[in-house]
Amino acid sequence: MFYCVYSTFISTFYDLSKILGPPTSWFILSFPKMATPKKKKMPVQEEIQDVDNDSAMAVPSSAIPPPNISSIKNKMRRTHEFIKLKRQRRKEKKELQKKRKRETEALGDEAPPKKVPKTIENMRVFDETMVDPQDEEVLHDEAHDEMASYFSRDTRPKVLITSSDRPRSTTTRFLKELGQCIPNSEIYYRRGLDIKKVITQALAKEFTDIIVINEDRRKPNGLLLCHLPDGPTAHFKISNVKLHDEIKRAPKSTEHYPEVILNNFNTRLGHTVGRMFAALFPHDPQFSGRQAVTFHNQRDFIFFRHHRYLFKNNKRVGLNELGPRFTLKLRSLQKGTFDSKFGEYEWVHKRHEMDTSRRKFFL
Amino acid sequence: MAASMQHVFVGAATGVFKGVNLAQKKATNFQNVASLSREEEICAMCWGNQQESQVCIGLKNGLVKTFDAEQGEFTDCANCAGGDGRFTGLAKYQGSLVTCVESGLLRVWKDEGEKVDMDVGKDVCRMRQNHALPHQVATGGKENELKLWDIQEPEKPIFKAKNVRNDFLDLRVPVWVTDLQFLSEQKLVTCTGHRQVRVYDPATPKRRPVLNVELGEYALTALSVTPDCQSVIVGDSQGSMVMVDLRMGKVQKAFKGFAGAIRSLQCHPTLPMVASCGLDRFLRIHDINTKEMLHKVYLKSKLNCLLFSSADFTQEETETTKKQKRKLESSNITDEDEDELWGNMSVVQDGKKTDKTKRKAKTKKLKKPK
């Protein structure tokens, strides 16, 4: 029985070789051919022969779109159609770019200026609180505000860093890294003490700032920055925390005083917050340490980075990221030291009133 | 110098005294900013006279300056130092100044250095004068109940409020009067730092509040009575401004647009408008009936107190209406010309009704599927 089957198989095998030719050619079965099966005749490619050209319902052929690629059930055919479409689109785009380039070169000096794409930053809603650097009133206000004693070099910063009660490992590591990053800082465990009591003790020990890291679900999620003796209290949301161990190839930071870079704190509120950050670090950075701490504000998110830079030559700089990396978002700014119940707020983030426009920012 | 009339006078925490003209949307500083110090912070303001042409400003260092709105400059400066703390209230009685400081010293500064002192208790937060009966003055503060005083009888208060009953846990309810106003001739309304709005009636023998409403989540900082005396507008430390109906004892409306604590509120005496200023450095004018924000002026410094003048500024000409008037005048069309104009125009005839059955084929542009 088996012998019969085998013989028939061999006979068919030999028959096939007559039809298809030598065996080597079989393997050039041309895969592309397999992948391109018989095309469905798309009715759109042909002209629609409208019998009654004068009828009210005549529709020009170009107006009917080709059927949607996603309606093709066969995955191979579908992907192929999509690749074709993408190729065609890329080609059209390149042609358009070339055409535009040719036109601008042809016009030379008369060419219209290059168009600037609209971004959320340059479409930002006009903010009347944007600070004019020469504004007399704002300068006077800042010269007499709570942080003025730092900027006039009357006080030197001394920072107390603590967390919410019973911090987990991530938060304790975060505290230690912050302590390394901010010079002249001391880390204390909270041990269930009220913030108002922490403030009175800190005032007695001549601290100038208090940072309280709040933790939720084993991760730091809030930062309370309170300037002493009667300075404003800022409450931030922390997100996207990356510690020193999580940053690849991060070297260890040293004790040198870093340079502080504050970017984009343009509005009056931004100025106050920027000054609070600046007041955490000592005035004279030690340039030999080549360390820089950056608070970059973009779209109301403040990005904290800690780098060591190295000038390779006059034009190229290498950056090595040290220390923690996190993102802050201001939730409220309260006048006076921490008093959330009875304190007066200078600014509170009210989501439903303030987050209505994608192009309106406050810092 | 004050060629334009100022509708709202605002005092800032830096000591700057500003006037805002709402029709022209202009704010002017009446002092040179650079010459001020922190000690000249404006704590209290009041009208210097009935015509509202003079403003008395109380500073942190104890001075009281008088500003003349017509001349546009400060005319007088009196040293009213006495007691500890900032001014919590200023008033004018028979031409003499009445001041009250935080430590409780209420003083009437008569001419020739004569002073009449009254002790109104410790930790006073607010002192206000009754406009209907100028010899009556009310004070209140932290753990300092509302007291109604007569300037002519400095010994004892006419009316001293009593605290409400113990709460459901049988604990004493703390007292903290942050702002108070006279409601009509006899009644008083106060707002507290513990989020309560209370109405007192000294005419009745009942010393406890006639109405006690608990609102919101944050301490109330400012209060103003609406022109119809039926409701009250309160502002709190997180920037929510709310209108409370005193007959029902409920919140009627909420005004939006604030970002920071509201330090001072005042309703216009006749128009349905309320002006508010606060720590977010903006002066806002809302319409009481429609809740709409009519004006929002950025004033660069934290604002402490404001005074809304009684003038009807909505009737004042703004720049745009002035231009329109000028245009009309220059065109000079007389009656005869008008008749000619109308006569020359062609008569428009009614068009035929379109046949609804005939529909033009609309060729809509179909979008390419992506």
Side-chain angles (χ1 to χ4, degrees), chain A residues 137 140 344-346 348 350, chain B residues 18 36 239 259 261 263 301-302:
Chain A
E137 201 171 334
H140 174 81
E344 288 180 314
Y345 285 83
E346 275 185 45
V348 177
K350 294 183 181 176
Chain B
K18 296 171 187 262
L36 297 164
R263 277 259 169 103
S301 312
K302 291 178 201 168

Side-chain angles (χ1 to χ4, degrees), chain A residues 94 153 182 239 345:
Chain A
K94 270 244 144 81
R153 296 194 184 228
I182 302 172
S239 52
Y345 285 83

Side-chain angles (χ1 to χ4, degrees), chain A residues 203-261:
Chain A
L203 283 169
K205 296 196 177 174
E206 293 175 351
F207 279 98
T208 56
D209 292 277
I210 293 179
I211 296 179
V212 182
I213 305 287
N214 189 56
E215 182 208 31
D216 186 48
R217 299 184 100 205
R218 297 167 172 269
K219 282 185 217 163
N221 79 338
L223 187 142
L224 187 81
L225 173 57
C226 185
H227 188 76
L228 303 172
D230 50 9
T233 307
H235 182 38
F236 298 93
K237 246 196 309 195
I238 298 181
S239 52
N240 229 10
V241 179
K242 272 221 156 80
L243 301 176
H244 175 273
D245 315 315
E246 292 157 33
I247 300 171
K248 289 184 183 169
R249 296 181 283 276
K252 276 191 175 173
S253 66
T254 56
E255 298 276 311
H256 294 96
Y257 292 173
E259 296 164 56
V260 181
I261 301 169

Side-chain angles (χ1 to χ4, degrees), chain A residues 304-329:
Chain A
F304 174 94
R305 298 288 184 270
H306 183 38
H307 293 280
R308 180 177 291 134
Y309 57 85
L310 174 66
F311 281 101
K312 294 176 186 168
N313 52 37
N314 265 352
K315 292 183 186 174
R316 289 184 62 180
V317 197
L319 278 182
N320 237 337
E321 188 165 359
L322 325 161
R325 172 207 290 190
F326 52 92
T327 313
L328 298 170
K329 187 159 195 211

